[in-house]
Amino acid sequence: MAPTLDNGAALSPVGAVELIPPPPPAPLLDPDELRRQGHQVIDLMADYYARMDDYPVRPNMSPGFLRRQLPAKAPLRPEPDAFESALRDVRDLILPGMTHWQSPRHFAHFPASSSTVAALGEALTAGINSNPFTWTASPAATELEMVVVDWLAKALHLPRALMFCGGGGGTLLGTTCEAILCALVAARDRKLKLAGTTIGDLVVYCSDQTHFAFRKAAHVAGIHHDNCRVIPTCRSDMFALSPARLQAAMQADLDAGLVPLFLCATVGTTQTTAVDPIRDLCAVAAPHGVWVHVDAAYAGSALVCPEFRDMIDGAEALDSFSMNAHKWLLANTDCCALWLKKPSLLVAALGMEQQDYILKDANVGDDDVVVDYKDWSLTLTRRFRALKLWLVLRCYGVEGLRDHVRAHVHMAVLFEKMVKDDARFELMATRRLALVCFRLRATDKLGGEKAANDLNKKLLEDVNATAAGPYMSPAVVSGAYMLRCAVGSTLTEEHHVRQAWKVVQDRAASLLSKMEKACTGVAK
């Protein structure tokens, strides 16, 4: 039997060409349809935020739940009212199966802050659908990015040397992982130009609190696993990286004939928001020509508030700095800002020696004013992230962002006080911003310190199993298992924090009661 097409028409013999007239084109960018369907999307989003409290923070689903409800193949032709039908599936099938990061009861990880302005900025960006990989490809998008990274740097009180206006410069990427990798590749290529240096000689440094994104970046950049120094921290130093220990590690590597390359310091670690002492660490690194990068993914947003700017004392000596505006500055995922003191080193590492004619414009010279952002990141295709960040800064202002951060810090202080006031609990790290690390004490009667980790694992399980929330995440620091309450959702209010603490107390009381009964039974 002769093969046929999907529409039943017979295929032509090999070598022959049979032209089948296409169906009339669908209106793919029809302004009227965009307006009609756009209203439907906005209504769904507005209803979602209005009903956020109706959703459990995390769904109680088993793997495969959604795949079993959706067809195995995409439709050959769209069904009638396909868009409306798809939106119903979003509402009825997809949203109930999501972890709701915008829930006011989401206290896990770090926040993924949102705002109406940033959401609409994302929609506008998608509608324009530009690809600003060179200045010529989209002049306004490129220059807006240059403007907005300087705006943000000034709002965060970063050193002028990291800004375009001070001889440095910045760009907007997707994630911290990308930012660290870009900086590391620039540092690597600069160091490899030294006579006799090979990639096997290069050593990188971090603390045991540094996000695993750094070790992943080091692996991708070709740094040998054995040449990644993870320096231990201690509670007495508030889990900050010790300059003395860093100095000792670097000296040991120099004595072994190795080449110190890169230090990833952190302002606001994931586990406890520890802050590494930038000034002293830079003083240790400078004599060895070590590139110092600061990862301030979460805590960098707090720098909009003058009272937190001491966290980056000494930052004028940094080579690069990154933070995620999508974590706490209302910019929506994804929006990571990276600044460099010498962007030319990044361009030298990631730029192309042979420029394709299709990327060039005869009317644009090689003046330093022109920035081609394709040479500042790993990808050529880029998103126009600057538009939503520019809208956020314009529509909320620096003072509005300060109010947003301070409100969450205030709520974290409230949660911290409630922990302190309950003798059954203890704080496990100094609260710097809006993260509170705590745990339930294990009394000698219930097994003492030995049983503390298992006790708190069970407590977190019970807290997160509560249908109405809250949702928290754990950390293990210096062998101690603790609960993390990270206040930062845009929708969180004080009553959500009080309700979260009430759930923790109730679950702790129930857990302790069961353990005491079990101990009593054993004693009998």
Side-chain angles (χ1 to χ4, degrees):
M1 183 176 179
T4 61
L5 297 172
D6 286 335
N7 62 4
L11 284 170
S12 300
V14 176
V17 177
E18 181 178 342
L19 297 179
I20 301 174
L28 300 179
L29 282 176
D30 181 84
D32 292 332
E33 276 296 279
L34 177 64
R35 185 172 289 108
R36 184 180 69 84
Q37 294 175 344
H39 280 297
Q40 294 174 339
V41 171
I42 295 298
D43 285 344
L44 188 150
M45 290 170 60
D47 289 343
Y48 173 61
Y49 286 125
R51 294 180 50 216
M52 188 65 73
D53 267 337
D54 295 341
Y55 292 101
V57 187
R58 289 199 307 171
N60 182 20
M61 303 290 187
S62 57
F65 77 95
L66 184 60
R67 286 179 293 156
R68 288 190 291 269
Q69 297 183 78
L70 295 178
K73 294 192 301 184
L76 191 61
R77 294 290 179 191
E79 61 194 289
D81 299 323
F83 192 73
E84 290 86 343
S85 176
L87 289 185
R88 281 195 298 274
D89 282 351
V90 170
R91 184 193 64 204
D92 299 337
L93 302 180
I94 296 175
L95 287 181
M98 297 290 291
T99 294
H100 300 283
W101 283 71
Q102 302 312 312
S103 170
R105 291 168 281 118
H106 191 296
F107 299 102
H109 313 298
F110 276 131
S113 65
S114 183
S115 65
T116 54
V117 166
L120 294 173
E122 280 282 359
L124 187 56
T125 298
I128 295 171
N129 201 28
S130 172
N131 182 8
F133 55 85
T134 63
W135 183 90
T136 301
S138 194
T142 297
E143 296 195 13
L144 185 64
E145 187 163 341
M146 296 172 70
V147 167
V148 82
V149 291
D150 267 14
W151 275 17
L152 182 58
K154 291 172 183 175
L156 301 179
H157 206 65
L158 297 184
R160 185 177 176 85
L162 293 174
M163 307 178 201
F164 281 108
C165 62
T171 185
L172 297 177
L173 305 172
T175 67
T176 297
C177 302
E178 293 175 69
I180 295 174
L181 180 57
C182 287
L184 182 54
V185 167
R188 179 199 66 189
D189 282 16
R190 179 184 67 170
K191 191 71 81 172
L192 287 176
K193 292 179 180 178
L194 296 177
T197 302
T198 67
I199 196 165
D201 298 328
L202 303 179
V203 186
V204 297
Y205 304 85
C206 66
S207 85
D208 59 4
Q209 303 302 297
T210 304
H211 195 276
F212 69 84
F214 173 61
R215 276 161 281 177
K216 182 175 182 178
H219 174 71
V220 174
I223 305 301
H224 195 279
H225 178 269
D226 292 340
N227 285 4
C228 185
R229 304 285 177 262
V230 180
I231 300 171
T233 60
C234 58
R235 189 173 183 180
S236 60
D237 288 334
M238 295 189 291
F239 304 111
L241 176 56
S242 162
R245 289 187 175 183
L246 176 66
Q247 174 66 59
M250 286 186 178
Q251 189 59 55
D253 288 325
L254 289 165
D255 293 344
L258 298 174
V259 180
L261 169 68
F262 191 96
L263 167 64
C264 184
T266 308
V267 170
T269 59
T270 301
Q271 291 91 331
T272 65
T273 61
V275 174
D276 293 336
I278 295 174
R279 187 185 305 280
D280 293 341
L281 294 173
C282 286
V284 170
H288 310 301
V290 171
W291 183 298
V292 182
H293 175 81
V294 161
D295 167 19
Y298 162 69
S301 297
L303 298 174
V304 295
C305 302
E307 61 267 31
F308 299 124
R309 289 178 184 158
D310 64 308
M311 294 190 298
I312 57 167
D313 284 348
E316 59 277 0
L318 293 176
D319 295 284
S320 54
F321 181 97
S322 62
M323 57 80 64
N324 290 344
H326 62 249
K327 273 194 165 60
W328 208 4
L329 283 189
L330 301 175
N332 286 39
T333 305
D334 56 11
C335 190
C336 173
L338 167 67
W339 292 272
L340 305 103
K341 186 177 289 184
K342 293 183 178 179
S344 59
L345 296 174
L346 184 62
V347 173
L350 298 179
M352 295 179 293
E353 293 181 5
Q354 296 293 329
Q355 293 284 1
D356 194 313
Y357 270 103
I358 201 170
L359 302 180
K360 298 286 284 183
D361 188 322
N363 296 320
V364 178
D366 294 325
D367 193 279
D368 289 340
V369 173
V370 176
V371 168
D372 287 341
Y373 271 123
K374 67 179 176 59
D375 299 330
W376 290 56
S377 64
L378 304 175
T379 63
L380 295 182
T381 301
R382 308 179 70 251
R383 299 183 63 233
F384 185 14
R385 297 182 180 91
L387 184 58
K388 68 177 174 187
L389 183 55
W390 177 71
L391 285 170
V392 166
L393 289 169
R394 281 196 63 173
C395 296
Y396 299 119
V398 176
E399 284 293 345
L401 297 178
R402 287 172 181 164
D403 292 343
H404 176 70
V405 169
R406 285 169 177 157
H408 288 136
V409 173
H410 170 77
M411 286 185 268
V413 170
L414 171 64
F415 190 91
E416 178 186 42
K417 182 179 184 304
M418 291 188 292
V419 173
K420 287 180 178 178
D421 289 345
D422 191 326
R424 298 172 299 174
F425 292 87
E426 62 180 330
L427 294 168
M428 296 300 294
T430 301
R431 183 202 52 77
R432 280 188 172 270
L433 298 168
L435 173 68
V436 180
C437 297
F438 68 102
R439 71 172 180 173
L440 189 60
R441 299 180 193 271
T443 64
D444 292 337
K445 182 178 179 182
L446 299 179
E449 191 67 23
K450 179 181 174 183
N453 286 354
D454 290 341
L455 178 65
N456 282 282
K457 285 179 185 177
K458 178 58 177 170
L459 174 60
L460 182 62
E461 289 174 7
D462 290 353
V463 168
N464 286 343
T466 308
Y471 174 36
M472 296 182 184
S473 55
V476 178
V477 182
S478 295
Y481 187 97
M482 63 188 75
L483 284 71
R484 298 169 69 261
C485 178
V487 183
S489 171
T490 306
L491 296 173
T492 300
E493 298 177 1
E494 190 172 305
H495 68 91
H496 297 111
V497 174
R498 293 186 182 278
Q499 289 169 1
W501 177 239
K502 180 68 164 55
V503 171
V504 172
Q505 286 184 307
D506 289 348
R507 295 299 174 269
S510 175
L511 182 59
L512 291 173
S513 176
K514 290 177 184 177
M515 293 184 69
E516 286 176 357
K517 288 178 181 177
C519 290
T520 301
V522 170
K524 290 180 179 179

